[in-house]
Amino acid sequence: NGKAAIIRAPATPELKALVTGLAERAERLRKGRVDPRVDNMLKITTEGRKAALDLRLVDSSARDHPESKANLAVHEVFRIWQETQADRLTQLVFCDLSTPKDTGFSVYDDVKTKLVIAGVPTAEIAFMQEYDSDAAKLALFKDVRAGKVRVLLGSTQKMGSGTNVQERLIALHHLDAPWRPADVEQREGRILRQGNRNAEVQIYRYVSEGSFDAYMWQTLETKAKFIHQVM
């Protein structure tokens, strides 16, 4: 069962204001009032996607919202971690728009800190980005398969096709929407594959209302349908 459950984070007044500002910038671009070297659609879209993930990625003075995507994800990841303790089942969290090495605010560190405060041992949480060599990756994958590391966070690029950790995977969380339908398949292919001992798995998509999120997921689904028809 690969149907994703959608978890909605309510739009905050701050996010709405930011999205309105982005729309105005896009309009100025469309009318040719701005030099594309100063502002462009990619810049606007990236800021919109980051703001949908966490406002603190684009505004360092923004507050931590209790119902933000990261906080809702922490709640779900912790609940599943607790419920599957006896079998030491594992979870993947995908996030492309923030990295553990970010200067300033990092969604990875934010999620990890909150999980640890909730009661998850630090040793059971890992960031894919911190395992560079093949040997380190293989050791990490072994720990995930053994249920020693129970929450693994990473990006589409870093947690790609060579990531064979499916044995105990029970849940996958999309904190953000990737760019291409193939990226969604790439992510979900980590859990929806042979060798997973769980007959039923859970996939969650986190969407900030009134943000670029809904548009991104909709576009991905439309593109996927179109590609599927062409094939």
Side-chain angles (χ1 to χ4, degrees), residues 7-44:
I7 294 183
R8 298 174 194 283
T12 60
E14 297 94 324
L15 181 62
K16 283 180 185 163
L18 189 122
V19 171
T20 303
L22 294 175
E24 284 163 5
R25 276 166 58 189
E27 188 59 20
R28 283 198 292 276
L29 259 181
R30 200 177 62 83
K31 290 182 173 161
R33 290 184 190 157
V34 186
D35 182 340
R37 284 169 305 191
V38 177
D39 202 5
N40 55 62
M41 270 323 282
L42 183 63
K43 212 169 158 182
I44 292 169

Side-chain angles (χ1 to χ4, degrees), residues 60-229:
S60 55
S61 67
R63 63 200 176 100
D64 180 9
H65 215 272
E67 289 194 329
S68 71
K69 287 206 293 192
N71 286 323
L72 294 176
V74 165
H75 178 79
E76 292 301 327
V77 171
F78 180 72
R79 174 184 64 77
I80 296 164
W81 174 85
Q82 217 171 12
E83 286 170 6
T84 61
Q85 192 111 342
D87 299 317
R88 299 203 68 77
L89 299 185
T90 58
Q91 304 179 65
L92 293 182
V93 180
F94 277 96
C95 178
D96 291 356
L97 291 164
S98 174
T99 73
K101 297 180 178 78
D102 282 350
T103 46
F105 176 73
S106 157
V107 171
Y108 281 75
D109 295 328
D110 190 52
V111 167
K112 181 177 179 175
T113 303
K114 286 167 178 166
L115 285 171
V116 170
I117 290 168
V120 180
T122 310
E124 291 187 16
I125 305 167
F127 297 158
M128 192 68 218
Q129 285 86 340
E130 289 175 358
Y131 297 79
D132 283 331
S133 72
D134 288 345
K137 282 178 194 162
L138 287 174
L140 169 67
F141 296 162
K142 201 176 152 191
D143 284 347
V144 178
R145 288 197 296 266
K148 279 186 192 166
V149 168
R150 293 186 54 211
V151 181
L152 180 58
L153 293 91
S155 61
T156 312
Q157 195 191 352
K158 297 277 185 195
M159 270 191 320
S161 51
T163 310
N164 296 321
V165 292
Q166 61 273 18
E167 266 93 317
R168 294 171 187 265
L169 279 181
I170 188 67
L172 180 146
H173 308 263
H174 294 282
L175 269 187
D176 50 17
W179 272 117
R180 305 173 312 220
D183 296 336
V184 181
E185 279 182 35
Q186 175 76 297
R187 288 178 174 195
E188 296 183 355
R190 296 316 99 234
I191 192 168
L192 302 173
R193 60 189 298 180
Q194 279 192 322
N196 188 333
R197 58 170 83 158
N198 298 305
E200 296 250 330
V201 296
Q202 299 147 35
I203 295 174
Y204 297 95
R205 289 179 187 175
Y206 297 82
V207 176
S208 288
E209 294 185 325
S211 77
F212 275 51
D213 273 352
Y215 170 74
M216 287 293 299
W217 281 113
Q218 229 167 349
T219 309
L220 282 165
E221 297 205 338
T222 311
K223 274 190 208 160
K225 273 184 197 140
F226 174 70
I227 292 164
H228 198 71
Q229 281 163 354

